[in-house]
Amino acid sequence: MNETAKLHAQTRTYQATERTEQNDAAIKLFHQATGIGFYEQFPAEEKFAEVLTLTYAQRMRVSMVFDLAAPSASRHAAHPVHTYGTFPGSLNAGGNSLVPVHKITAVTVAPSYRRRGLLTEQITADLHYAQEARYPLAALSASEATIYGRYGFEPATYQTRFKLKCAQGLKLRVKIPGQVVEIDPALFEEEFADLADRAMKATFGSIDSSAFDDGYALGRWDSWETMDKPKNLRFAAYYDAGGTLGGFVTYKFAGWDEPTEKLVVHKLIATSDSARFKLFEYLGNHDLIKEVHGQGPLADPLRQVLANARDYEVRSVDDALWLRVLNVVDAFQARQYLRNAKVVLSIRDRLNLISGDYLFEVSDGSAHIAQISSDSNLPDLPQVSLDERDLAGLYLGTLSLQQLLASGRAELAGTETSAEVLQMFDVVNEAFTPHSF
């Protein structure tokens, strides 16, 4: 299609809450178009019932844009040119309760319809919808790093992909009590559900797992695209000295044809660092295995407990979770604080969702936040100007106020401020997100 051809766009949105033939047909078309957009195949017809079940379990809201002027021979005469899905979730931001988040997923635009404003129109409308629905935050995993910043999203967590050298076994500097046992996943569902909930609440930066994530961890399917049952997966769980379940790992042998004999972690969740260490110790002490491939936070504490720190080799560093603030008061009052401080943040938002001046008063680990008028007379308080992306970077402590000011991404009215203000958004531990979506 010529990019200058007129586009007669029509958006159709369906809520996967009530099973109807119309919703089922629309969801099937949505997943088919999403698979094409990500260069993936489509599940076989007999497996699509599982896709529908998962979509309804996640209460997805699916939107598709159709070109009513597409030529009759075009695939887009019947199929959408743009897909966009959302579903509700929650985030561990370190506060007393989990924070509701509006998860965004399955965003595709057909090649001949790119750069025609489809995503901008869709995501702008959706963020307003999410704000009206009282979500403090929107969240996504980005396949491209340059797209979502213009809509106010900023990376909030990162992960390393690493390999552990273990040709001579993996030795730790600490002795961790308890045991790792091999698991039959068919007998483990109830224990796993409880573990997943406890691990999420124990992991700062974690997003809740979905029904798909749980089935993926238990080896029911390998991807949304095929819903095939993965082959040769193995499962193990860690129980501490008191018999309490503390972690679970799904892993796979990569095959004898690989240059190096290795185990690859499929999914790992744990309620503590010790549980995670014990699971990697178990993986690294399999016979004939020379490497274990896994994921972890940037400042991975696993490296600190290895007898040989050089056994840990970073393969890549990736952004994991992106956040966008939709309600400053609700979002930032839900997180935890380490410093008592007062500051006024003046936020410039390109979509005008959260533009304004906000007074932050932090005491005893919690914040009271109020939007104030621009002419409020607060001469004794530091005032910092920043945009909506930088605010999102502060949320889980990925960026500090000191870093933003030093780099010029934020501006301070005046010439100096206290260390308490500069450190007021800092966190104890790095945020980590075990689940993507």
Side-chain angles (χ1 to χ4, degrees):
M1 171 180 284
N2 187 323
E3 289 190 3
T4 61
K6 189 170 180 60
L7 172 64
H8 293 281
Q10 181 189 69
T11 302
R12 303 173 194 168
T13 299
Y14 302 85
Q15 189 74 49
T17 51
E18 181 181 354
R19 290 294 296 262
T20 67
E21 288 187 12
Q22 182 186 37
N23 279 352
D24 284 2
I27 290 167
K28 184 174 183 178
L29 187 63
F30 172 84
H31 284 295
Q32 186 174 22
T34 301
I36 292 171
F38 284 109
Y39 312 112
E40 301 285 356
Q41 63 190 81
F42 189 63
E45 190 66 31
E46 64 271 15
K47 295 181 179 179
F48 196 75
E50 288 182 303
V51 175
L52 283 174
T53 298
L54 289 170
T55 304
Y56 282 98
Q58 292 182 196
R59 294 180 290 154
M60 284 191 71
R61 183 174 185 260
V62 303
S63 294
M64 295 177 281
V65 175
F66 294 83
D67 180 9
L68 302 184
S72 58
S74 167
R75 181 173 67 84
H76 297 296
H79 290 255
V81 301
H82 173 46
T83 64
Y84 188 99
T86 65
F87 59 106
S90 54
L91 168 69
N92 180 342
N96 294 326
S97 58
L98 302 177
V99 185
V101 293
H102 181 68
K103 293 181 177 179
I104 299 170
T105 188
V107 179
T108 71
V109 179
S112 52
Y113 289 84
R114 295 183 65 193
R115 296 181 178 87
R116 301 177 73 176
L118 290 173
L119 176 58
T120 295
E121 183 175 346
Q122 182 69 49
I123 198 169
T124 302
D126 178 65
L127 292 175
H128 278 92
Y129 162 84
Q131 186 183 58
E132 291 170 5
R134 299 294 299 176
Y135 283 100
L137 299 161
L140 55 81
S141 302
S143 55
E144 292 186 52
T146 58
I147 294 176
Y148 294 100
R150 71 187 77 141
Y151 307 114
F153 287 86
E154 180 73 8
T157 65
Y158 290 84
Q159 69 171 6
T160 59
R161 298 180 185 272
F162 62 84
K163 65 180 179 182
L164 293 175
K165 301 173 186 176
C166 56
Q168 306 302 318
L170 190 69
K171 298 177 176 61
L172 303 184
R173 298 176 62 182
V174 294
K175 183 173 178 58
I176 300 171
Q179 63 175 336
V180 176
V181 299
E182 295 183 51
I183 291 295
D184 179 349
L187 305 176
F188 194 67
E189 292 185 23
E190 188 173 334
E191 283 188 277
F192 177 82
D194 175 69
L195 174 67
D197 181 64
R198 290 189 291 115
M200 194 263 179
K201 292 175 181 176
T203 306
F204 174 56
S206 179
I207 290 280
D208 59 323
S209 63
S210 67
F212 173 82
D213 294 322
D214 296 343
Y216 179 83
L218 292 169
R220 295 192 193 123
W221 38 71
D222 62 355
S223 70
W224 276 99
E225 288 73 31
T226 67
M227 297 303 294
D228 288 339
K229 187 176 179 62
K231 298 178 180 179
N232 303 321
L233 282 182
R234 296 167 179 250
F235 310 86
Y238 164 68
Y239 294 86
D240 67 18
T244 300
L245 176 64
F248 175 80
V249 63
T250 307
Y251 63 102
K252 187 175 185 178
F253 177 60
W256 296 111
D257 294 333
E258 292 287 318
T260 303
E261 295 84 0
K262 60 178 176 285
L263 296 180
V264 178
V265 172
H266 189 75
K267 176 69 75 173
L268 188 152
I269 58 172
T271 59
S272 66
D273 285 343
S274 293
R276 182 168 171 267
F277 300 160
K278 191 72 171 182
L279 288 169
F280 275 110
E281 181 185 44
Y282 165 80
L283 296 173
N285 285 294
H286 277 58
D287 288 341
L288 307 178
I289 297 301
K290 296 178 181 177
E291 291 179 358
V292 174
H293 288 209
Q295 300 84 38
L298 297 189
D300 195 339
L302 175 60
R303 178 182 289 171
Q304 301 169 15
V305 299
L306 295 175
N308 183 355
R310 293 182 181 181
D311 285 343
Y312 187 111
E313 184 175 317
V314 174
R315 298 169 56 228
S316 69
V317 174
D318 312 294
D319 51 78
L321 178 70
W322 293 58
L323 292 178
R324 208 283 185 203
V325 180
L326 299 174
N327 185 304
V328 177
V329 174
D330 290 349
F332 279 84
Q333 286 187 166
R335 60 156 280 174
Q336 189 180 44
Y337 296 85
L338 304 177
R339 306 282 190 276
N340 294 340
K342 294 182 181 180
V343 68
V344 174
L345 297 187
S346 297
I347 302 166
R348 308 176 298 268
D349 185 348
R350 283 161 286 188
L351 298 185
N352 203 32
L353 288 164
I354 56 170
S355 296
D357 297 332
Y358 297 84
L359 172 60
F360 282 64
E361 298 179 282
V362 178
S363 178
D364 298 327
S366 60
H368 175 74
I369 303 165
Q371 187 166 6
I372 59 177
S373 63
S374 58
D375 59 355
S376 296
N377 185 21
L378 299 168
D380 297 329
L381 292 183
Q383 299 187 38
V384 177
S385 298
L386 70 169
D387 70 20
E388 79 287 4
R389 284 191 65 178
D390 299 323
L391 183 72
L394 289 174
Y395 191 66
L396 295 181
T398 315
L399 297 170
S400 71
L401 203 53
Q402 188 167 13
Q403 288 172 320
L404 291 176
L405 290 168
S407 66
R409 289 174 60 176
E411 297 177 357
L412 173 67
T415 58
E416 61 182 52
T417 187
S418 67
E420 287 77 16
V421 169
L422 294 176
Q423 298 169 4
M424 67 181 293
F425 297 101
D426 292 359
V427 295
V428 175
N429 297 311
E430 176 192 348
F432 180 64
T433 307
H435 308 295
S436 60
F437 55 95

